[in-house]
Amino acid sequence: MESVRAVDGWPVDNAAVAVVSASGAVLGSAGPQEREFRLASVTKLLTAYATLVAVEEGAVEWDQPAGPDGSTVRHLIAHTSGLAFDEHKVMAQPGTRRMYSNSGFEVLADTIHEASGIPFAEYLTEAVLAPLGMESSRLAGGAGAGAVATCADLARFAAELQSPTLVSRSTVDEATSVAFPGLSGVLPGYGYQKNNDWGLGFEIRDHKDPHWTGKNSSPATFGHFGQTGTFLWVDPDAGAACVALADRDFGQWAVDAWPDFTDAVLAEL
């Protein structure tokens, strides 16, 4: 794919991208595929997927209490627990606002640890990373933003998101559908969104504007971006996913580059 070559013009020292079809084939790539990058909040996709495994295994249930009073596992993973961004401080009643929360994902990971008896980093490796052959990936910090991975590994994960093998298709469909619809909130880096739609750990494109995906991305597109200059999206209508990792923190360069890059990829598909 010629469109992936646009990454060579990004104002970063190192970047790696890959486009992956629904069948798992890498349709195009650029940059060092085996270089490790800090994922920042793209970590949440891995944590969310481990949570899907935990639910299917029966270790936890979506509606079991977790976090602040009145909050559940479902609230935590959908950013509606009411916990603050980076503090274990309750800012709203569960289910009333979309409050993006790293601390909520820490509580989520602790809940799975307590239920399974396995430290969350180990659980993530056993449930997701090892089965998918993501040998260069690891949770080196918090469950909300502490993972390290290569583009090649995340391409494997992008294939899994499109053709699940570790959990059922119905579970992935639920996780990538809007949870607690109609809630407003701030999309980090892009400001207030009247309908700040989120699934179970996966951000939903819907009709958000502005947004880090393309103008031509379908409303069904789901994924996440990270403050270290990373993103992963899956566009079911296009039958493809895209991974992009960089070593420059998110900023205006990404706001400018990412949507045009995504639209170019979609156009070539």
Side-chain angles (χ1 to χ4, degrees), residues 106-177:
E106 294 298 327
V107 176
L108 177 65
D110 289 344
T111 300
I112 294 172
H113 176 193
E114 292 169 8
S116 67
I118 304 171
F120 184 74
E122 184 179 336
Y123 190 92
L124 173 62
T125 297
E126 293 181 1
V128 179
L129 305 182
L132 295 181
M134 299 173 64
E135 296 180 355
S136 298
S137 302
R138 62 191 182 279
L139 189 61
V148 173
T150 64
C151 192
D153 272 5
L154 283 189
R156 298 180 181 94
F157 182 59
E160 169 70 16
L161 292 176
Q162 297 177 90
S163 299
T165 62
L166 303 182
V167 295
S168 68
R169 163 56 68 183
S170 61
T171 293
V172 174
D173 287 346
E174 180 182 8
T176 56
S177 299

Side-chain angles (χ1 to χ4, degrees), residues 73-112:
V73 168
R74 191 186 305 273
H75 286 111
L76 289 170
I77 200 170
H79 298 288
T80 60
S81 70
L83 284 172
F85 172 64
D86 255 338
E87 297 179 85
H88 291 271
K89 180 180 180 181
V90 179
M91 304 294 291
Q93 288 294 316
T96 62
R97 292 171 60 189
R98 190 82 64 188
M99 298 188 64
Y100 184 82
S101 177
N102 283 329
S103 57
F105 265 67
E106 294 298 327
V107 176
L108 177 65
D110 289 344
T111 300
I112 294 172

